[in-house]
Amino acid sequence: MAKRQSHPETGMAPKAEQILQGAIEEFLAHGFAATSMDRVAKTAGVSKATLYNHFGDKESLFSALTEYLGEKRILDFVIEEPEDPAIFLKTWATAIFNQILNDPELLCFLRLIIGESGRFPELAQAFIRNVVKVGINRLTKSLESYPQLRLADAEVTARVIMGALLHYLLIQEIMHGEEIMPMERDRYIEGLVKLVITD
């Protein structure tokens, strides 16, 4: 019997989404340090009072932005969980890649987080908390629904899979290593699935 991998709705008000869209434009254009709440309010077309009413400070705004991007543009997919776990893993990994690699703004946002994480570690922590951890938790639950895999630790396996996907994105796309270390995406996914599912 097929099961569905669900994800919660953010339940965010349209005005808050408007602010977050203005925020990502400003963060990408000027970086975290140089972006002011005044700039965000102007770009989003809202008053400063409205901005502060929704997000109390810049750090809270950035954290909310990572959560929003995670739910709406990275983890925003629902897939069937077929009886064959190999098919599920291939579909899941492909969906993650498609969500990110088909969204140039997301790739720029990931570069921003990495570039700013030395001075502002809380930015990277917000991404890990709101995107990576959520993705790993969901994948762990899905892996646990396949007892035939006989995994010693489903969470460790989910972390390995997520880590492998992030490695591909980091080397191939974010750090522009595609010409130096070329790797076809489907080949990478196929190999990853075979590491997890052995005959």
Side-chain angles (χ1 to χ4, degrees):
M1 180 177 176
K3 304 173 184 177
R4 296 191 68 81
Q5 178 180 335
S6 63
H7 56 81
E9 294 297 328
T10 58
M12 186 167 289
K15 186 66 71 174
E17 292 196 37
Q18 181 180 332
I19 292 170
L20 292 177
Q21 187 54 50
I24 192 171
E25 292 177 21
E26 286 298 318
F27 285 132
L28 291 182
H30 305 289
F32 181 79
T35 293
S36 68
M37 295 291 269
D38 285 352
R39 281 180 181 268
V40 172
K42 183 176 181 180
T43 300
V46 300
S47 68
K48 286 194 292 184
T50 298
L51 173 58
Y52 281 103
N53 185 51
H54 282 85
F55 308 100
D57 54 36
K58 189 165 64 170
E59 290 75 16
S60 298
L61 174 62
F62 194 92
S63 180
L65 179 58
T66 62
E67 183 176 5
Y68 174 77
L69 292 177
E71 288 293 345
K72 292 293 187 179
R73 291 166 65 174
I74 298 177
L75 301 174
D76 184 29
F77 59 88
V78 178
I79 61 174
E80 295 291 337
E81 293 182 359
E83 295 298 326
D84 186 346
I87 295 176
F88 165 74
L89 285 176
K90 289 176 188 177
T91 305
W92 193 90
T94 300
I96 289 285
F97 277 155
N98 286 343
Q99 294 290 92
I100 297 176
L101 295 177
N102 294 332
D103 192 336
E105 194 173 61
L106 270 180
L107 287 172
C108 290
F109 188 72
L110 294 178
R111 291 189 186 101
L112 169 68
I113 291 172
I114 293 171
E116 298 275 34
S117 62
R119 290 185 298 166
F120 306 103
E122 63 272 18
L123 304 187
Q125 290 171 343
F127 177 76
I128 291 171
R129 180 173 55 254
N130 295 318
V131 181
V132 178
K133 183 179 180 180
V134 173
I136 288 173
N137 287 345
R138 292 179 188 173
L139 181 55
T140 298
K141 289 180 180 179
S142 292
L143 292 175
E144 289 172 343
S145 72
Y146 290 105
Q148 65 267 44
L149 289 177
R150 298 176 183 171
L151 299 174
D153 192 320
E155 182 183 353
V156 169
T157 303
R159 286 186 178 224
V160 169
I161 293 170
M162 183 66 84
L165 299 183
L166 290 173
H167 173 271
Y168 182 93
L169 292 169
L170 179 66
I171 299 300
Q172 300 294 115
E173 301 292 337
I174 296 173
M175 297 182 68
H176 309 286
E178 188 174 7
E179 293 183 4
I180 301 170
M181 296 177 61
M183 172 63 67
E184 200 274 328
R185 196 186 316 173
D186 289 343
R187 177 188 170 194
Y188 191 84
I189 292 174
E190 187 74 28
L192 177 60
V193 171
K194 287 181 178 178
L195 286 175
V196 177
I197 302 175
T198 57
D199 295 329

